[in-house]
Amino acid sequence: MAETVLVTGGTGYIAGEIIDLLLRSGKTVHTTVRNRSKSEPRLRDRWRDAGEALRVFEADLENDSGWAEAMEDCDAVAHVASPFPLKTPKHPDELVKPARAGALRALECAKKAGVTRFVLTSSAAAIAYGHPPGRDHFTEEDWTVLENPDVPPYHRSKTVAEKASREWVAQNAPDMAFCSINPVAVLGPVHDDDLSTSIELVRKLLTGEIPALPDAGFGIVDVRDVALAHVRALDAPPEAVRGERFAVSDRFLWMRDIAEVLRERVPDLARKVPERRLPSFVVRMLAPFMADIRQVKTELGRHRDVSGDHAREVLGIDYITAVDSIEATARSLVEKGIVDPR
Ligand code: NAP
């Protein structure tokens, strides 16, 4: 079992939850951030009692500086950092290049440092996109179809990075216990106002910034289960995880279902949550002019159910329900003063 783990991207939503679990189970955690002087005080504030059990290093996915130091004395790596912007970039390379180069850099440095366990945070974005219409059930056997030009840049970046990582491991470190965790959209309690893109959706529903509900949806998994899957994959016998992909997902919900859950579970916070539907012909009409709407266009009417069964069976993940997770997201956004429900 790993005693010292590097978690990359310590400022991130998922990485924070992983660090939390690792520290609570007595591990020493190294983490990388892009700007140490800005981010270390925030991390120290969250884990006030961690002391020397938490070490913060400065490293960027796009250059070599700091990676060797961050890996020193580590037995295992959870590579979580990857660009996950709210806005779609002009060119896919803005995401694809750092995602791919960062994963390969982390793998190369891990091998040099003698790390034998590597858990990559990939995504359902590397599984369920670009497939012909009519397919609505996906498993770890499936790969996003990069040849389809409609696959958005972020989904492309996760697919390219995971494929490149697997090829690199097969050629350069076949004995490494490498696996990926592939979450669907991650919701759950937040700890500060630096919100992950997935949380923004619930925030915008609560504030009324999404005024009407398009006919789109996505799989949902709780951040606490995503972190647990990483930690279990770090601790499992190497033969149980080597080469595996673990999709983590509770269930798929349409946006109208999510809005309904908010109205039922947190009625006092849900006054601005829309009831109106946004007709698909309006989405198609507005898509060329509005970037936010454009992102939804390819999702209209698409049911993408990514099975979380393999992680349930091998890693023992007993999923927090999507409904509980939506409620926890909304309550924490209000508790942290990020959303004013009045
Ligand atoms: P997040 O809060 O935005 O975290 C992303 C992290 O990546 C941040 O720590 C960010 O650092 C770091 N990062 C981005 N570009 C970087 C670069 N060039 N160099 C170094 N670090 C960089 O998002 P998250 O939800 O926790 O996502 C974490 C991982 O989970 C990502 O790999 C994402 O693709 C994957 N994932 C997320 C979801 C989801 O719904 N949230 C679903 C499936 C997979 P800064 O703070 O400096 O920007």
Side-chain angles (χ1 to χ4, degrees):
M1 270 191 191
E3 286 312 314
T4 302
V5 181
L6 170 65
V7 180
T8 67
T11 52
Y13 181 45
I14 294 173
E17 210 64 31
I18 299 172
I19 293 172
D20 203 51
L21 272 188
L22 290 170
L23 287 174
R24 281 200 269 135
S25 64
K27 311 270 186 194
T28 297
V29 177
H30 291 192
T31 191
T32 58
V33 295
R34 280 199 266 197
N35 182 332
R36 189 170 164 200
S37 58
K38 192 177 118 204
S39 299
E40 184 163 4
R42 242 186 69 206
L43 302 191
R44 297 266 165 223
D45 191 49
R46 177 161 174 192
W47 295 288
R48 291 201 179 149
D49 303 326
E52 277 301 296
L54 177 65
R55 297 188 60 198
V56 182
F57 298 83
E58 194 165 283
D60 193 296
L61 295 175
E62 299 195 79
N63 68 64
D64 289 335
S65 165
W67 286 98
E69 291 82 350
M71 296 274 177
E72 219 173 274
D73 301 328
C74 290
D75 336 287
V77 172
H79 179 55
V80 193
S82 200
F84 187 26
L86 197 52
K87 289 223 154 64
T88 305
K90 284 214 173 76
H91 197 284
D93 277 353
E94 286 178 44
L95 305 184
V96 174
K97 279 190 172 168
R100 181 180 182 279
L104 295 181
R105 182 167 280 115
L107 278 165
E108 277 161 18
C109 291
K111 188 186 172 193
K112 277 192 199 136
V115 168
T116 53
R117 175 75 55 122
F118 195 104
V119 177
L120 173 75
T121 314
S122 185
S123 173
I127 292 180
Y129 293 79
H131 297 277
R135 279 216 54 197
D136 61 4
H137 189 79
F138 300 92
T139 70
E140 290 86 356
E141 300 283 307
D142 296 302
W143 280 93
T144 286
V145 181
L146 288 170
E147 291 73 22
N148 184 335
D150 287 341
V151 171
Y154 169 72
H155 301 64
R156 212 164 267 287
S157 78
K158 297 307 287 180
T159 311
V160 169
E162 190 190 332
K163 280 195 164 169
S165 300
R166 288 179 179 276
E167 279 160 23
W168 187 92
V169 171
Q171 279 171 18
N172 301 285
D175 293 336
M176 192 183 256
F178 169 95
C179 69
S180 64
I181 306 292
N182 297 59
V184 292
V186 180
L187 299 181
V190 301
H191 295 277
D192 56 38
D193 60 2
D194 184 9
L195 300 182
S196 174
T197 297
S198 49
I199 298 292
E200 279 290 337
L201 173 95
V202 178
R203 188 191 68 75
K204 284 182 174 176
L205 282 173
L206 291 172
T207 59
E209 282 167 71
I210 297 179
L213 302 161
D215 182 30
F218 38 81
I220 293 173
V221 65
D222 193 278
V223 68
R224 292 160 287 185
D225 286 334
V226 177
L228 188 60
H230 281 79
V231 171
R232 296 246 168 103
L234 288 165
D235 273 349
E239 58 281 6
V241 297
R242 189 175 283 115
E244 293 284 328
R245 300 178 96 191
F246 296 104
V248 283
S249 171
D250 177 52
R251 61 179 291 204
F252 177 95
L253 286 178
W254 297 101
M255 296 254 308
R256 55 182 176 272
D257 301 327
I258 298 172
E260 192 57 38
V261 169
L262 288 169
R263 276 192 292 274
E264 277 182 13
R265 286 292 192 99
V266 286
D268 45 330
L269 315 180
R271 291 187 196 100
K272 296 178 192 156
V273 173
E275 286 189 53
R276 256 181 308 154
R277 303 282 174 87
L278 182 60
S280 294
F281 80 87
V282 176
V283 173
R284 290 195 188 93
M285 219 166 61
L286 294 177
F289 314 105
M290 296 172 75
D292 278 2
I293 299 267
R294 204 152 44 239
Q295 288 178 348
V296 175
K297 195 183 116 188
T298 52
E299 293 309 294
L300 290 174
R302 289 298 306 254
H303 186 275
R304 298 183 205 274
D305 191 7
V306 178
S307 169
D309 286 351
H310 188 50
R312 195 196 310 273
E313 283 151 21
V314 179
L315 303 176
I317 307 298
D318 182 13
Y319 293 104
I320 294 166
T321 67
V323 169
D324 285 346
S325 193
I326 293 165
E327 177 178 343
T329 314
R331 289 199 185 282
S332 72
L333 284 169
V334 173
E335 270 162 30
K336 298 283 172 195
I338 300 162
V339 166
D340 179 355
R342 284 170 297 165

